[in-house]
Amino acid sequence: MLLLLAACDPGQVYEKNTDLDEYVWGVQVKPTFEFTIADTTQRYDVYFNIRNASAYGYYNLYVQHTLTDPAGRPVSKLLHQMLLMDPQTGEPNGNGTGDIYDHQFLALPGQRFHQTGTYKLLLEQYMRQDQLPGIMAVGVRVAKAAK
């Protein structure tokens, strides 16, 4: 569903999702996404894509990102809390059918990139569990921000 919507978006610059082995996100698994920025005058919205099974044991997910510029210098490093389910009712957020749900979280709104080239965005799960079952895939989407 996310890919279908993204294909219709002329502002999209990049989108990629990585499936996790056996639907477990281990702390040692740190998916890295590389995307190219050609226009430094444009602001961009950076989203995180999460796919989880309803068997995921928590209502939230903590993810830390590390963004580096084309020279490998750090641009930003932040911890994000994403609500996959309503904390009160336990009802899943996101879009889904059956027991699989897709989420897209605006993680870096209006991000400015100060030089052209290839940027790297590394994602780490930051929960208190080394092996986090129920997370099926993670990804990144970069789109031109609305003016």
Side-chain angles (χ1 to χ4, degrees):
M1 179 96 165
L2 288 176
L3 291 177
L4 181 62
L5 292 174
C8 301
D9 183 0
Q12 180 175 306
V13 173
Y14 172 86
E15 183 162 18
K16 183 175 180 186
N17 297 298
T18 299
D19 292 331
L20 300 172
D21 291 339
E22 299 180 23
Y23 305 148
V24 175
W25 193 356
V27 293
Q28 73 281 5
V29 176
K30 300 175 182 178
T32 302
F33 303 89
E34 296 185 12
F35 55 93
T36 302
I37 296 297
D39 183 357
T40 58
T41 63
Q42 175 72 47
R43 287 189 181 265
Y44 298 87
D45 290 333
V46 180
Y47 299 86
F48 296 162
N49 299 333
I50 305 293
R51 174 173 279 177
N52 72 287
S54 62
Y56 178 68
Y58 303 96
Y59 72 89
N60 63 351
L61 174 65
Y62 285 99
V63 173
Q64 180 172 277
H65 89 262
T66 303
L67 177 64
T68 54
D69 70 12
R73 294 181 300 255
V75 173
S76 67
K77 186 172 190 172
L78 293 171
L79 182 64
H80 306 267
Q81 177 184 212
M82 295 171 275
L83 297 179
L84 303 182
M85 297 173 204
D86 184 288
Q88 301 296 321
T89 66
E91 289 295 314
N93 295 328
N95 298 315
T97 57
D99 66 342
I100 298 173
Y101 297 94
D102 291 316
H103 311 267
Q104 193 167 79
F105 298 97
L106 180 56
L108 300 170
Q111 177 70 41
R112 181 156 297 215
F113 296 98
H114 297 288
Q115 65 186 97
T116 60
T118 302
Y119 286 77
K120 291 183 183 180
L121 186 60
L122 178 137
L123 300 181
E124 302 174 70
Q125 67 99 333
Y126 228 72
M127 299 294 283
R128 292 185 177 135
Q129 189 172 338
D130 288 349
Q131 302 300 312
L132 192 59
I135 301 296
M136 304 170 74
V138 297
V140 168
R141 178 174 183 259
V142 180
K144 293 178 182 176
K147 295 184 180 191

